[in-house]
Amino acid sequence: MSQTVAVLDIGKTNVKLALFDEGRLLWEQAAPNCIRSGPPYPHEDVESSWNFFLDALREAARSHQIGAIVPTAHGAAGALIGERELAAPVMDYEFTGVDEIEPDYVKLRPPFSVSLSPKLPAGLNLGRQLAYQKWRCPDLFAKARYFVGYPQYWTWRLTGVAVSEVTTLGAHTDLWVPRRGQISSLVEALDIDHLLPPLRRAFDPLGPIKPEIAAVTGLAPETRVFCGIHDSNASLLPYLVSRQAPFTVLSTGTWVILMSVGLSLDQLDPRDDTLANVDVLGRPIACGRFMGGREYAIIAGGSGNPDLDAMERVIASGAMALPCFSGQGGPYAKAKGVIRGEVAARDRPALATLYCALVSDLMLTHMGATGGDLIVEGTFAGNPLFCRTLGALRPTQRVFAAEDAAGTARGAAMLAQWPPSYHIAEPVPVDPISIAGLDSYRKAWTAAVDMIAR
C-alpha cells in the first residue's frame, strides 16, 4: 500500500526534510546544519534542526498525507539523553580537544583486528567521544539515562522511545565487533553497558509520534516513526535489494564513503582508513573513506563542473594536488595538502575532480575492490567527468551514476516498507572515455603520493 514517507536527513553540512512515495521524491526543504562553539565543547545545534523539522513538517503536511517518518544522520555522533532532554550536547566530531584523553583511551580501545575500526582523528571514533564526556564532563554524564546513535536521537525526540541500532553502532565507533555482531570490550571498560538501550533494526517501527508533535505539525496522531539508519548505509539500501555482489557504492557528499559488498575484510588496513561498516541486516561491509567533498571544495575554489578539455590541460601541465586538504580521512590524513605547479583558476575544478578520482582509485585498489560494478551516488554523481575519469582509471569495472541528489534520503525512505515491493530505479551507465596522458599522470601522482609519510 502506497504511503508518503517523510525522511529527516541530518547531514554534516545540511539538514533536510524530504517526502517520498514508493521511491518518488515529492517534496523537500533544506537548511544549513549549524555547529555551536560551546560550552562545554563544540556541538550540534539540535534545537535549530528540531525547529526546522517542525516547521518543514507543518508545511509539508498541508499538501501531503504523511504516514511515516524515518530519520537518517551522519556518523560519529550520538546523544546522551536523560528523562526528557539531552543530558549533554551532541559533540561535533571535528572537536580536536578529545585528543587530550588519548593516552588513557588507547589503553581501553579494542585492537583493529577485533573492532575493524581504525584510530581516527578528533571525535570520529564515537567511543572516544563517550570517554571524553565521561572523564571530562562527569556532571553532565551522570545525568544520562541512555546513549543513542544520532539517527535514534531523532526517533527518541519524536516518540520518546530509546533504542540502539547496528548501522550506527558499527560505524567506526570502537563500540562494536562486526564479525561477531556484538558490543565490544570498550563498552564494559567504560562501564556504559547500562546506557545502551535495546537493539532494534533500522526498519522497525517504534511507535507513533508524540501527541504534542501531532498538534504542532498537523500530522496524524498515528503517524509511525521508524528506528532510522546511518546515512552512508541508507545510500547502500537501494543496491542491496537490486544488485548481486560484488559491487561497490561510492556515497559522496562531505565524505566519500566507498562500500564494497561481497568483498573480503582481509585487506582492510587502518593505515589506509579502510574499515568495516555494518549494513542494515548486521553484516560487515568493507569500506574506505576520505573527506572528498570538502577536499574538492578546497582545491576547486569555486563551483561548476569541469569539462574534458580542462582535465587534459591540467594533465598536460603536470600540476598535481597531493593529499590531504581536509586534515582527516583517507590514507594520508596527517599530510598537509599541497598543489604543485601552476593551475589557472578556471581549471581548478578539473584538478579537484582528478584528485578525488585518483584518491578513490587508490583506495579501491588498497581494499582489493578490483571486480564488480562501481555506483557513484550523491554529489559526485552530478559531476560527469568524475564518473568518467574513475571509469578510465578502472577500465575493467563498469561505472554507473545514480542521477539522484536525494540518494541517502531515498534509501532511508525504503525502511518504511522493507523490503520494498516497488521498482528501484537503476543508476545510469557511464560511457567509457579516453583521457590523453592519464596513465602517465597517474604513475607520476602515485609516485609523489608514495613519498608522503603516513
Side-chain angles (χ1 to χ4, degrees):
M1 179 177 175
S2 177
Q3 69 171 341
T4 297
V5 181
V7 174
L8 278 58
D9 185 357
I10 304 96
K12 175 62 175 169
T13 305
N14 296 294
V15 294
K16 178 170 62 178
L17 182 76
L19 304 188
F20 295 89
D21 183 359
E22 295 192 339
R24 293 180 296 112
L25 178 63
L26 304 177
W27 185 96
E28 65 179 343
Q29 192 172 104
N33 189 13
C34 302
I35 301 296
R36 301 185 70 86
S37 59
Y41 41 72
H43 56 269
E44 299 273 342
D45 188 349
V46 296
E47 291 309 312
S48 289
S49 297
W50 178 247
N51 290 330
F52 162 78
F53 284 128
L54 290 179
D55 290 343
L57 284 167
R58 186 185 305 112
E59 182 177 342
R62 295 191 185 108
S63 54
H64 297 85
Q65 189 171 355
I66 297 170
I69 300 175
V70 182
T72 182
H74 65 79
L80 290 163
I81 56 177
E83 291 294 335
R84 298 179 179 273
E85 59 187 13
L86 281 170
V90 176
M91 186 182 293
D92 174 25
Y93 65 63
E94 295 188 80
F95 172 51
T96 58
V98 296
D99 292 340
E100 68 181 58
I101 69 165
E102 185 59 23
D104 295 317
Y105 181 72
V106 72
K107 300 173 185 176
L108 303 182
R109 71 189 308 262
F112 178 80
S113 60
V114 172
S115 70
L116 299 179
S117 171
K119 178 184 180 295
L120 301 176
L124 282 167
N125 295 120
L126 196 49
R128 188 183 289 109
Q129 291 187 33
L130 273 169
Y132 181 93
Q133 289 170 312
K134 181 173 184 176
W135 297 339
R136 295 295 186 268
C137 309
D139 293 343
L140 296 177
F141 195 87
K143 298 177 182 178
R145 181 180 179 187
Y146 292 117
F147 173 76
V148 296
Y150 205 28
Q152 288 68 55
Y153 165 73
W154 298 97
T155 301
W156 172 79
R157 193 83 186 249
L158 290 163
T159 66
V161 178
V163 297
S164 299
E165 190 276 325
V166 72
T167 65
T168 297
L169 279 178
H172 51 81
T173 64
D174 298 340
L175 300 169
W176 193 253
V177 182
R179 287 190 176 101
R180 297 181 183 174
Q182 63 187 42
I183 57 175
S184 77
S185 59
L186 179 63
V187 173
E188 181 179 355
L190 288 175
D191 189 24
I192 58 172
D193 54 316
H194 64 288
L195 293 179
L196 298 182
L199 193 67
R200 298 292 296 271
R201 297 172 299 183
F203 44 83
D204 284 346
L206 300 184
I209 55 174
K210 296 176 180 178
E212 58 267 32
I213 295 174
V216 168
T217 60
L219 295 173
E222 64 272 17
T223 303
R224 296 186 302 166
V225 181
F226 288 76
C227 179
I229 189 170
H230 173 231
D231 58 2
S232 296
N233 279 279
S235 301
L236 185 62
L237 291 182
Y239 310 105
L240 286 180
V241 298
S242 63
R243 303 182 86 84
Q244 295 293 319
F247 63 88
T248 299
V249 174
L250 282 70
S251 177
T252 66
T254 302
W255 288 88
V256 173
I257 311 293
L258 307 99
M259 298 174 283
S260 291
V261 177
L263 186 68
S264 168
L265 306 178
D266 294 341
Q267 287 189 234
L268 299 180
D269 188 331
R271 295 172 300 175
D272 288 332
D273 202 358
T274 55
L275 61 150
N277 279 348
V278 180
D279 76 7
V280 69
L281 299 177
R283 301 170 299 192
I285 302 292
C287 294
R289 21 163 279 140
F290 70 103
M291 216 169 190
R294 182 169 294 178
E295 295 199 86
Y296 182 96
I298 293 169
I299 299 167
S303 58
N305 286 334
D307 57 27
L308 180 58
D309 288 343
M311 175 79 74
E312 292 185 340
R313 283 196 297 270
V314 169
I315 290 172
S317 75
M320 293 181 182
L322 300 174
C324 166
F325 294 85
S326 66
Q328 54 189 307
Y332 305 100
K334 295 180 181 179
K336 184 175 178 58
V338 62
I339 296 175
R340 294 183 182 172
E342 297 295 325
V343 183
R346 64 172 181 159
D347 290 340
R348 291 287 288 264
L351 178 66
T353 297
L354 186 56
Y355 170 84
C356 290
L358 285 164
V359 175
S360 299
D361 171 59
L362 179 145
M363 295 197 72
L364 289 167
T365 298
H366 284 190
M367 291 167 61
T370 56
D373 295 340
L374 302 173
I375 302 110
V376 181
E377 74 84 35
T379 307
F380 284 4
N383 181 342
L385 192 58
F386 171 84
C387 300
R388 301 184 82 185
T389 302
L390 188 63
L393 290 167
R394 307 186 72 79
T396 63
Q397 295 178 271
R398 296 185 303 169
V399 177
F400 295 79
E403 296 183 324
D404 180 10
T408 296
R410 192 184 305 277
M414 295 170 60
L415 296 173
Q417 183 187 330
W418 184 263
S421 59
Y422 53 84
H423 174 72
I424 306 299
E426 283 291 318
V428 177
V430 174
D431 292 333
I433 187 175
S434 176
I435 302 176
L438 180 62
D439 287 344
S440 297
Y441 184 94
R442 175 167 56 178
K443 291 176 183 177
W445 183 88
T446 302
V449 166
D450 284 345
M451 298 296 292
I452 297 173
R454 298 187 181 183

